Amino acid sequence: MSKAKQKKIANPYSYALVAPIGIIFTIFFVIPTIVSFFFSMTRWTLFDWEFVGFENFIQYFKEASLAIGFKNTLIYGVVTSGLKVVFGLALALLLTGRLRAKGFLRSVVYFPVLVSTIGVGFTFSILMDPNYGAINKAIVSFGKTIGWETYGPGWLVDPNLLPLFSVAFVDVWKGVGIATVLYMAGLASIPQEYYEALAVDGGGAWDKFRNITLPLVQPATSAVVILSFIGGLRSFDLIWAMTNGGPGFLSDVIASINYKQYQAGFYGLATAGNVILLFFVLAIVGPVYWFFNKKEKQA
């Protein structure tokens, strides 16, 4: 049978495999995205709508808290993705090494991923309470033990960037399990002969990490950075559960600003904000993806 005939026979089968995913993607992503573009140019309610063009976008960029939202969104995305890379790789190296009870520890590391984000947010908001939270009580008790006059910080009420970073650290605690799994898969794919050859040449642990491990887990690093960065830029539920964007607007991100617009009944304005968030994520993640993709091709 000729290659052309084989190709004609194979195509319907391959399309049949792709079709279910394509249908789901179209229904739950493509169509809602197109509809959101339309409604971002309207003033709408559940029962009526009025076309207003780009008025919602113009009004949205006049929001007083928007500059804070863009800054906080970018900071949150960078901090969470960066820390997940560092802790994910460190935990993966630890859990693939000569360690007892590795199976149990792997379950412990991955367990927070399975817990409800809202539940985690409410739990840590109680633990981080400046007056009654267990974290500050532990800090004060430790300070008294060593003879220091200690006061616990206002994790979620400090008028600086501390609330945003506090939420970011909780996000890292919850999501680092996925990064660890990706890195463990990357480490498992590295042939042991490379390490043995370097050991014969006199290379130590640092040489193995710098010259073999770090370059060869580059695909895992790319996946962790991109997934974590997208999740960080789009983050809403954890921030809302822990701070509601406060104090004031100091921990507001773009998603929480959009939600506040929905709460106030400005549905068209909030939809325009979601469209802006989509382009913001694409504008940030696109160059990052291109950079890592280029590095992988060069390697």
Side-chain angles (χ1 to χ4, degrees):
M1 186 181 295
S2 65
K3 290 184 179 180
K5 288 183 178 180
Q6 289 179 348
K7 190 174 182 181
K8 287 181 180 180
I9 294 173
N11 279 338
Y13 180 69
S14 60
Y15 292 148
L17 292 175
V18 175
I21 300 298
I23 293 170
I24 294 173
F25 181 77
T26 301
I27 293 174
F28 291 102
F29 182 79
V30 176
I31 294 176
T33 301
I34 294 172
V35 172
S36 67
F37 276 117
F38 171 76
F39 278 104
S40 68
M41 297 184 181
T42 65
R43 188 178 291 114
W44 63 275
T45 64
L46 292 176
F47 308 103
D48 193 18
W49 61 271
E50 175 190 357
F51 189 78
V52 295
F54 290 99
E55 183 179 327
N56 287 328
F57 292 93
I58 296 171
Q59 184 64 33
Y60 188 85
F61 280 108
K62 291 181 180 179
E63 286 290 321
S65 60
L66 187 61
I68 297 175
F70 273 111
K71 181 187 74 173
N72 287 348
T73 300
L74 190 58
I75 291 174
Y76 191 89
V78 170
V79 170
T80 53
S81 60
L83 290 179
K84 285 176 184 177
V85 167
V86 174
F87 288 122
L89 181 56
L91 288 170
L93 289 169
L94 183 66
L95 295 175
T96 53
R98 296 178 181 178
L99 188 68
R100 292 183 178 180
K102 288 191 292 187
F104 171 73
L105 293 175
R106 289 173 182 177
S107 301
V108 170
V109 169
Y110 194 76
F111 176 75
V113 178
L114 307 176
V115 182
S116 165
T117 303
I118 298 297
V120 169
F122 285 143
T123 301
F124 272 92
S125 63
I126 295 171
L127 293 174
M128 291 180 172
D129 185 279
N131 299 315
Y132 309 106
I135 295 176
N136 276 5
K137 283 187 176 181
I139 293 173
V140 171
S141 299
F142 179 75
K144 289 180 179 179
T145 301
I146 60 177
W148 290 354
E149 189 68 25
T150 306
Y151 300 94
W155 300 102
L156 303 177
V157 295
D158 191 284
N160 298 306
L161 281 177
L162 186 59
L164 186 69
F165 285 111
S166 299
V167 179
F169 290 140
V170 176
D171 189 309
V172 172
W173 173 83
K174 186 183 185 312
V176 74
I178 296 177
T180 303
V181 169
L182 291 173
Y183 273 120
M184 287 173 63
L187 291 171
S189 66
I190 300 176
Q192 291 301 311
E193 290 81 1
Y194 294 172
Y195 295 109
E196 294 170 1
L198 188 61
V200 170
D201 292 338
W206 171 246
D207 296 314
K208 293 178 181 179
F209 176 76
R210 184 184 61 180
N211 297 318
I212 297 177
T213 303
L214 205 55
L216 294 182
V217 295
Q218 180 65 40
T221 302
S222 302
V224 171
V225 170
I226 292 170
L227 292 175
S228 302
F229 210 26
I230 292 174
L233 294 175
R234 295 173 58 252
S235 184
F236 163 73
D237 43 6
L238 187 62
I239 293 173
W240 191 257
M242 293 185 68
T243 66
N244 285 350
F249 302 102
L250 292 179
S251 63
D252 256 331
V253 291
I254 299 177
S256 64
I257 293 173
N258 295 342
Y259 184 71
K260 289 179 179 179
Q261 298 293 350
Y262 275 117
Q263 282 187 317
F266 301 114
Y267 304 126
L269 189 63
T271 307
N274 286 330
V275 172
I276 291 170
L277 176 59
L278 172 64
F279 283 109
F280 179 71
V281 172
L282 291 175
I284 299 295
V285 175
V288 173
Y289 174 78
W290 174 84
F291 172 76
F292 280 108
N293 192 43
K294 184 179 179 181
K295 286 191 69 175
E296 285 184 30
K297 288 180 178 179
Q298 288 177 347

